[in-house]
Amino acid sequence: MELFIATVGDADFADRLEIAIAGRGTFRRFKDVLARREDELRRFRLFAEERHRGRARAWLAGNGYRPVARP
């Protein structure tokens, strides 16, 4: 979440997200704030999906799996 917040161009919105991730209930508050801006929510989902894919690719590579070119 912190990495995503660093990419937010609107300083006020980024500040609200920073406040949302302080203390308990972080994920819920973060998503509630994001829900107010559909464009940023969509961007966060894409950001999170790419990070998940990156971790999966790193795990696969670390365990000896390599991509195969399709004919």
Side-chain angles (χ1 to χ4, degrees):
M1 290 183 287
E2 291 173 342
L3 292 174
F4 176 77
I5 292 170
T7 70
V8 174
D10 180 338
D12 291 331
F13 190 66
D15 188 47
R16 280 182 266 157
L17 290 171
E18 284 285 346
I19 292 167
I21 65 170
R24 295 186 65 181
T26 296
F27 297 106
R28 173 65 185 254
R29 284 194 312 272
F30 182 77
K31 293 282 177 110
D32 286 347
V33 172
L34 273 178
R36 297 176 192 158
R37 299 265 305 263
E38 191 65 34
D39 58 328
E40 290 293 345
L41 179 58
R42 236 179 287 115
R43 206 170 66 77
F44 174 72
R45 287 181 177 150
L46 292 172
F47 179 86
E49 286 175 19
E50 186 54 37
R51 288 190 44 84
H52 289 255
R53 282 190 201 100
R55 283 192 296 272
R57 289 181 189 118
W59 183 89
L60 289 167
N63 285 284
Y65 293 92
R66 300 287 177 255
V68 176
R70 292 183 180 174

